[in-house]
Amino acid sequence: MNKLLFTIMALIASMAAVAQSADKLYAEGKAFYDAKNYTAALPKLKAAAEKGHRKAQYRLGRCYDKGHGVEENDKLAFEWYQKSAAQDYAKAQYQLGKCYKNGEGVDKDRKKAVEWFAKAARQDNADAQLALGKSYLKGKGIAADPKKAKSWLLKAVNNPKGGADVLAELRSDAAGGDEDAKAILALIGK
């Protein structure tokens, strides 16, 4: 019995050590990423991502998506976003929705795009709320529903985490002649 208890405690301790090292690797990798030192960030992010760290998986997906420190590769970006999104990380879910919407790294599928936008939107991701609102507005991947469109669009621009950026981008796009942005601003009264 003591041997079994010791084995279980050792297993729990080793799992905690792995989690801590993944967190530490991610923190170091993110610091390099934020400093735009992608060459130094990549090995740390990759090591943390391979240990299952959802934020590292997302950030590694961004590296492949944007060509930060690696050759741009939509398929690898999609794969890393998918791993992170499966762990309910809203930013990755939004990016996965964009991959499906645009056919980047995966076949274009507007229905799947909307599914991923909805998952991220329900977690208060302002960009996903905007994308979901646009989907309802245009009936792309989901039945058009002006009431739901307006509701999600308002959530996006009023979101305390990112709403101001969404609104600023819509206003900038509208000023540049984007008719969709103008229609969205008129619909939400902004």
Side-chain angles (χ1 to χ4, degrees):
M1 183 69 170
N2 282 344
K3 199 174 203 176
L4 178 62
L5 184 60
F6 178 76
T7 304
I8 291 171
M9 289 177 64
L11 181 61
I12 291 170
S14 70
M15 288 171 59
V18 168
Q20 287 174 346
S21 63
D23 287 342
K24 185 176 185 218
L25 286 165
Y26 171 69
E28 292 170 356
K30 184 179 182 304
F32 284 125
Y33 184 96
D34 291 345
K36 297 186 183 350
N37 185 348
Y38 304 119
T39 306
L42 208 61
K44 303 241 180 221
L45 292 174
K46 187 164 191 194
E50 288 172 346
K51 290 177 183 272
H53 196 284
R54 69 186 194 160
K55 290 182 180 181
Q57 291 168 339
Y58 160 76
R59 190 80 50 188
L60 190 57
R62 295 294 290 164
C63 287
Y64 283 110
D65 193 0
K66 300 297 181 189
H68 294 320
V70 293
E71 189 172 324
E72 194 172 311
N73 185 324
D74 290 342
K75 191 168 179 71
L76 285 175
F78 174 81
E79 289 173 12
W80 284 111
Y81 287 149
Q82 193 172 38
K83 288 177 184 189
S84 180
Q87 296 186 67
D88 290 327
Y89 192 54
K91 288 181 179 183
Q93 291 171 334
Y94 167 68
Q95 290 299 332
L96 201 58
K98 281 180 57 179
C99 289
Y100 278 114
K101 177 183 172 243
N102 300 323
E104 295 171 346
V106 67
D107 290 338
K108 194 179 237 185
D109 187 330
R110 291 298 295 234
K111 280 186 135 180
K112 284 187 180 178
V114 168
E115 288 172 20
W116 287 107
F117 288 150
K119 286 180 184 190
R122 286 191 297 269
Q123 290 189 66
D124 250 1
N125 181 286
D127 292 321
Q129 291 168 336
L130 175 65
L132 186 58
K134 286 179 177 180
S135 297
Y136 275 117
L137 190 62
K138 293 194 164 249
K140 301 256 182 154
I142 199 163
D145 187 328
K147 284 184 181 179
K148 285 184 180 176
K150 184 176 182 178
S151 173
W152 282 111
L153 293 167
L154 283 169
K155 285 179 185 179
V157 299
N158 293 321
N159 189 318
K161 294 185 288 182
D165 293 336
V166 167
L167 183 57
E169 186 176 334
L170 283 170
R171 287 180 173 156
S172 173
D173 291 349
D178 184 321
E179 295 301 320
D180 288 341
K182 289 177 185 178
I184 289 169
L185 291 171
L187 177 67
I188 61 174
K190 297 279 182 178

